[in-house]
Amino acid sequence: MLHVSFVPEVETGPPVILVHSLFEELNRGRAIGARLGRWLAGQGRALHVLDVAGTGDSFGRLETASPLAWQADLAALARQLDAGQGVDWLAFRAGALWLPQVSVCGAFPLRNLHLLNPVLNGKTFLTQFLRLRVAAARFEGREETVASLRALAEAQGSVEVAGYRLGAGLISELDALELCVPQGGGVCNLVEMAAGPGAPGVPFARLLEKASAGGWQTAYTRVEDLKFWMSQELCPAAALVETLGASVIEETARSGAGANSAPASN
């Protein structure tokens, strides 16, 4: 696996590992990750951006990739980076699906956890992606469905969607994933990009409630911007970078300092 590091001359806190999403969301997130890495380095924090096997510039093929193997790789990287003060984690979208499982498969505790618009269910995420091919087929006058694409992958071992070849094993493992924050003791910070101010919706509110019940201090940060996900062009997303960076630093300072916080909106 390949990871790129943004390291300050003097580190003032634990390292942060960034885990990207998949497919086009990974490509969008890479630019944001690089800007965030430079921002955090300027504040004395190191950011390590991971390309899991079969994605980005890492070795292997996505067709034969496995989220279970990604979890093991994440745990190995965390053990490598830990210098006695733990490791903070940042996950973009679908990266949140396998990030919490690091503590289970790798026996490595999650310290502080920062989730940007986390995907809650792997099957739902994958279904939305498969619909890209369904829409393209309809435009070409062909009839395909999500169910038929899943059956095709099972029959021939893989299926191609928007230039990405997905193996039947990868599809099966993604379908089985649900975001479940394990027992913890640090801060679980949910950052949501949404239109306008407000509180978290029901799914995210329930996630924070479960995290609180599991021993996490909880925080909710809202960034009033949807361009990062919806625009056809890559956006600088300066507000997102600064908000994410500031929340990583603030919640690191707060972790272990007291009771759960009430959700706040930025």
Side-chain angles (χ1 to χ4, degrees):
M1 63 181 175
L2 174 78
H3 78 269
V4 177
S5 299
F6 299 84
V7 181
E9 292 185 7
V10 178
E11 293 190 46
T12 60
V16 182
I17 296 177
L18 167 60
V19 185
H20 279 300
S21 187
L22 289 176
F23 315 131
E24 277 307 305
E25 291 185 1
L26 184 153
N27 293 330
R28 290 178 178 276
R30 287 167 74 89
I32 300 301
R35 295 187 183 103
L36 178 62
R38 290 189 288 269
W39 192 96
L40 284 172
Q43 306 297 316
R45 298 293 297 277
L47 180 72
H48 302 269
V49 185
L50 179 70
D51 282 353
V52 293
T55 70
D57 295 322
S58 240
F59 66 86
R61 296 179 300 152
L62 180 63
E63 181 179 357
T64 57
S66 163
L68 296 177
W70 295 340
Q71 292 163 7
D73 287 344
L74 286 166
L77 178 61
R79 287 192 292 268
Q80 174 187 332
L81 294 175
D82 183 22
Q85 55 182 338
V87 175
D88 284 355
W89 299 84
L90 171 61
F92 286 0
R93 293 281 291 151
L97 284 171
W98 41 89
L99 179 56
Q101 301 303 320
V102 170
S103 63
V104 178
C105 77
F108 193 91
L110 296 171
R111 190 179 181 276
N112 293 325
L113 185 59
H114 305 274
L115 307 174
L116 174 62
N117 281 69
V119 170
L120 304 180
N121 182 281
K123 187 170 186 177
T124 299
F125 174 76
L126 190 55
T127 294
Q128 292 171 344
F129 184 65
L130 292 174
R131 283 174 179 159
L132 293 178
R133 174 160 165 170
V134 172
R138 186 171 298 138
F139 181 78
E140 296 171 357
R142 295 182 291 109
E143 185 64 30
E144 289 184 324
T145 66
V146 169
S148 70
L149 292 178
R150 291 181 184 277
L152 181 63
E154 187 66 29
Q156 66 182 22
S158 65
V159 65
E160 184 172 332
V161 181
Y164 298 91
R165 182 156 291 278
L166 313 181
L170 174 62
I171 291 174
S172 177
E173 289 188 22
L174 285 175
D175 278 348
L177 287 176
E178 290 191 11
L179 178 53
C180 180
V181 178
Q183 296 290 313
V187 173
C188 179
N189 176 36
L190 196 156
V191 180
E192 182 179 12
M193 299 187 73
V202 172
F204 284 167
R206 287 176 178 169
L207 177 64
L208 290 172
E209 289 174 2
K210 291 179 180 179
S212 178
W216 295 85
Q217 300 178 61
T218 59
Y220 173 74
T221 306
R222 192 177 183 96
V223 183
E224 297 178 33
D225 191 353
L226 286 176
K227 293 180 181 178
F228 177 61
W229 301 122
M230 301 183 68
S231 173
Q232 295 299 313
E233 304 294 331
L234 291 178
C235 300
L240 173 61
V241 170
E242 292 186 13
T243 300
L244 277 175
S247 66
V248 166
I249 292 173
E250 291 169 5
E251 301 309 336
T252 297
R254 187 169 71 90
S255 61
N260 295 330
S261 71
S265 175
N266 281 356

